[in-house]
Amino acid sequence: KVGFKSRIAKYSVEVRLHELTKVEGGEITLDSLKAVGVIPHFAKQVKIIASGELQSAVKLTGIKVTAGARAAIEAAGGTIAE
C-alpha cells in the first residue's frame, strides 16, 4: 500500500443538477435519491454539483451543495434545508 486512501471518499457521491429531475415530488433527501437509483445504496454523503440545468423548483433536505448549485437551485425557485 502506497499513499493515502480516504475512507470517507468511498461513501461520498456527487450528483449533477439535471439528475435531480429523476426524483418524483418536490422534496429530495438521501433516501429518495437511493430509491430512484441516482446514487448507490451504500452512499452516506451526497453533494449536488452545478452541472446541467434545473427546470423545476426542488426542496433539498440534509444534502450538501456547491455554491454554483445553490445559486441554480434558488434561481429555479427551490430551497435548501441543511
Side-chain angles (χ1 to χ4, degrees), residues 31-57:
D31 293 328
S32 66
L33 289 171
K34 287 180 183 179
V36 296
V38 174
I39 61 173
H41 67 280
F42 59 82
K44 295 181 181 177
Q45 293 180 345
V46 175
K47 185 176 242 184
I48 308 297
I49 60 173
S51 176
E53 293 183 5
L54 186 64
Q55 301 297 330
S56 60

Side-chain angles (χ1 to χ4, degrees), residues 2-21:
V2 177
F4 173 77
K5 281 194 165 188
S6 174
R7 294 181 183 176
I8 297 172
K10 186 178 359 177
Y11 302 108
S12 299
V13 181
E14 290 183 346
V15 176
R16 293 174 175 85
L17 281 174
H18 65 88
E19 294 176 321
L20 297 179
T21 59

